[in-house]
Amino acid sequence: MPVTLDDKLVVAISSRALFNLEEENRLFDAGDPGAYMRLQLERLEVPAQPGIAYSLVRKLLRFNADGVQRVEVVILSRNDPVSGMRIFNSGAAAELAIERGVFTQGRPPFRYLTPLRADLFLSANADDVREALGAGFAAAHVSVESALAGNQHPDEVRIAFDGDAVLFSDEAERVYQQQGLAAFQAHEKDKAAVPLGAGPLAPFLVALHRLQQAASTGMRIRTALVTARGAPAHRRAIQTLMSWNIRVDEAMFLAGLDKGGFLREFEPDFFFDDQTGHVRSAARHVPAGHVASGISNLPRAEPQG
């Protein structure tokens, strides 16, 4: 039978999202890819340290611990193939069961998400993430300045999601930004029973739900909705999840409070948000990524004058 990834949760991840390669990347960003390649080759047998999404990947791969391959992690990187050897070596040293990788030597790799049928793409390259989101894939730009995940919950994958423009469409966010808070609250109260459309990360949440239902490894998934919504706008968010037959384990309706402290207490392996301010706040405490989706991420018109 042909090999296929169709029945698996597929995470595509860049080298810098999985491992800490910031020292090496400074050479690349300085316009010296040759020096970058030489340094990677010199360090071929030196395992790279964990990066921001390392904890998430390690825990997801533990869903394969009973011998059933439920999760597939694929390196999808702008690295050159020689540097790719170090990435595989680092994965092997960390006992991460990763056997597939695509290395494009500086070219955008996101187009390979289609044959991979990826459920999630994590990258430290913002342009690649935008292209992936535009092509309809769940994706996030990993903040490499984020705090690393804690180790208090070794048997739980903990993932936190913003709501509007992340799990949900940006329909309500557009009302808020264009008409203000009062109009937003009235709009959401009026449409409380009308489910919101799916946002870019909704398919990933659904895939996580399927993984939890199928697994028998002792690993668990704990999810949280962490949103600036407050009552009465909370109801539509919950009604939407119910209409998808999906539940989250925790929901935080913060009515504009800073999310950072709440995420510090939840201790996720990763947090997804569409607004860079929330990502910066979260990144002081937990691994975080920017989902460049919705009205908050549209190009701003140049002032006339």
Side-chain angles (χ1 to χ4, degrees):
M1 293 181 62
V3 175
T4 178
L5 301 178
D6 289 352
D7 58 342
K8 299 173 178 60
L9 186 149
V10 179
V11 176
I13 187 167
S14 74
S15 304
R16 285 177 63 208
L18 182 58
F19 294 112
N20 184 341
L21 299 170
E22 295 316 295
E23 181 183 350
E24 294 88 338
N25 190 67
R26 281 192 286 272
L27 289 174
F28 190 87
D29 284 347
D32 195 349
Y36 169 84
M37 291 172 62
R38 287 192 298 274
L39 182 58
Q40 289 283 42
L41 192 56
E42 289 170 9
R43 296 180 175 181
L44 193 60
E45 303 302 330
V46 180
Q49 293 300 302
I52 303 306
Y54 179 90
S55 177
L56 175 64
V57 165
R58 173 172 284 282
K59 288 183 179 182
L60 284 173
L61 286 171
R62 285 187 59 197
F63 278 91
N64 301 333
D66 60 355
V68 179
Q69 196 76 12
R70 300 181 180 91
V71 175
E72 182 77 22
V73 175
V74 181
I75 306 297
L76 192 57
S77 172
R78 286 177 177 248
N79 264 318
D80 65 284
V82 173
S83 301
M85 289 195 297
R86 186 185 181 207
I87 307 308
F88 276 126
N89 287 350
S90 298
E95 299 184 336
L96 299 178
I98 299 174
E99 63 178 11
R100 292 184 170 89
V102 177
F103 302 94
T104 63
Q105 196 163 332
R107 297 291 180 89
F110 71 89
R111 62 188 183 277
Y112 295 109
L113 294 169
T114 298
L116 288 171
R117 300 187 67 176
D119 295 291
L120 178 67
F121 176 47
L122 296 175
S123 175
N125 186 291
D127 291 336
D128 288 343
V129 168
R130 286 184 180 276
E131 295 284 2
L133 287 164
F137 290 94
H141 176 216
V142 174
S143 173
V144 295
E145 295 82 18
S146 295
L148 295 178
N151 56 9
Q152 301 302 309
H153 309 283
D155 298 322
E156 276 189 349
V157 178
R158 292 188 161 218
I159 304 179
F161 299 90
D162 180 32
D164 297 292
V166 176
L167 286 182
F168 312 131
S169 73
D170 72 338
E171 171 202 326
E173 182 68 19
R174 286 177 179 271
V175 174
Y176 171 70
Q177 293 204 19
Q178 294 169 353
Q179 301 178 43
L181 179 60
F184 166 81
Q185 296 282 31
H187 180 270
E188 293 304 280
K189 185 176 181 180
D190 182 59
K191 293 183 176 294
V194 180
L196 286 153
L201 269 291
F204 178 55
L205 178 62
V206 171
L208 288 172
H209 183 71
R210 287 198 305 266
L211 178 63
Q212 181 70 90
Q213 299 299 107
S216 58
T217 60
M219 287 295 293
R220 300 180 300 275
I221 297 172
R222 188 167 187 84
T223 54
L225 172 66
V226 183
T227 173
R229 284 173 177 256
H234 72 294
R235 182 180 172 189
R236 192 178 187 195
I238 296 299
Q239 291 282 102
T240 298
L241 292 171
M242 290 172 62
S243 75
W244 298 348
N245 199 28
I246 293 287
R247 69 174 183 86
V248 292
D249 298 288
E250 300 189 23
M252 305 175 200
F253 298 101
L254 303 182
L257 288 176
D258 183 79
K259 297 180 180 182
F262 294 89
L263 289 161
R264 181 186 63 232
E265 299 304 319
F266 180 64
E267 299 180 296
D269 295 292
F270 209 86
F271 169 61
F272 298 92
D273 202 291
D274 70 304
Q275 297 196 33
T276 54
H278 295 319
V279 173
R280 285 194 298 270
S281 172
R284 293 197 291 267
H285 308 286
V286 302
H290 178 223
V291 181
S293 170
I295 188 173
S296 295
N297 293 286
L298 292 176
R300 300 298 182 188
E302 293 294 329
Q304 301 298 309

